[in-house]
Amino acid sequence: ERVVQDLTEQVRATARELLEQDVVKVVLGYGPTGAAGDMAPVFVRRVEDVDRLGLNGGCFRNLAVYLNKPELRKLGKCAIGGKGGDRRALNVLVAGNRLSREDGYIIGVNCDGVGDPLLRKCRFCVVHNPEDCDAVLGDPVDMAAEEGQFAEVEALEEKSLDERWEFWREKCADC
């Protein structure tokens, strides 16, 4: 609990500094929804609103999906907070020329996973310490990914062509 509170304070301090110094016009992060432990995207444009930002195990939504929204882009340069998995999503947007790296300020957050129980994507995550960020918050995480991430794919590859066809027929509605 103390680590989460420390990270929350670091996120708020970073957001406050970025807004005060006019480095960015908006900070995209997480904030409580009111439901126990649930966090939702929060858009902070004023220094006095940085206390709306927070972190906890409920920060599992990917904030990168908002970066191409015209409403957000109109506001100006955006700082986005994110875990290693979120940073990977940003890399995909940049690689696909849907976003320029210079369009934003990336606040990376070292993360040992979210959810209770730990989300599947977190158990197999290999990016607990995001790289190529403008700032990184929190202590480095030394955590190995679980084995067996591709067990279902490997099991499917072992099946006959007919069995694979049946598998996909059940899964796919419009192939």
Side-chain angles (χ1 to χ4, degrees):
E1 184 65 35
R2 184 188 62 72
V3 171
V4 170
Q5 187 59 39
D6 289 348
L7 275 173
T8 292
E9 292 307 318
Q10 289 177 43
V11 166
R12 290 175 179 170
T14 301
R16 184 174 290 110
E17 182 178 324
L18 293 171
L19 291 167
E20 285 175 345
Q21 295 178 7
D22 204 30
V23 174
V24 300
K25 297 295 183 187
V26 61
V27 177
L28 173 54
Y30 296 100
T33 65
D38 189 36
M39 301 293 265
V42 172
F43 303 85
V44 176
R45 297 174 56 192
R46 301 177 321 158
V47 173
E48 53 268 25
D49 293 333
V50 298
D51 287 343
R52 292 176 50 212
L53 295 166
L55 287 172
N56 69 17
C59 297
F60 53 84
R61 293 172 178 89
N62 187 343
L63 300 177
V65 301
Y66 294 95
L67 293 177
N68 276 329
K69 302 286 184 192
E71 302 85 359
L72 181 61
R73 294 185 76 111
K74 283 192 313 191
L75 297 177
K77 190 169 184 176
C78 176
I80 182 170
K83 306 167 297 302
D86 302 327
R87 182 66 183 101
R88 291 175 73 182
L90 289 172
N91 288 344
V92 170
L93 290 173
V94 170
N97 294 318
R98 302 204 50 218
L99 187 69
S100 170
R101 174 63 177 90
E102 292 75 34
D103 287 344
Y105 187 99
I106 301 172
I107 305 167
V109 178
N110 292 328
C111 175
D112 59 359
V114 296
D116 185 21
L118 198 62
L119 295 180
R120 183 179 196 280
K121 67 181 182 178
C122 296
R123 294 192 340 256
F124 296 115
C125 182
V126 296
V127 193
H128 298 286
N129 304 296
E131 296 178 353
D132 189 28
C133 298
D134 298 298
V136 178
L137 308 179
D139 294 329
V141 174
D142 183 21
M143 183 175 158
E146 282 184 24
E147 296 291 322
Q149 177 180 8
F150 300 107
E152 293 173 6
V153 173
E154 291 164 357
L156 183 60
E157 288 175 342
E158 297 293 320
K159 294 180 182 278
S160 71
L161 189 56
D162 288 338
E163 290 171 317
R164 282 187 262 169
W165 173 248
E166 190 57 36
F167 172 85
W168 287 115
R169 279 188 33 173
E170 291 174 15
K171 297 280 183 196
C172 220
D174 293 321
C175 284

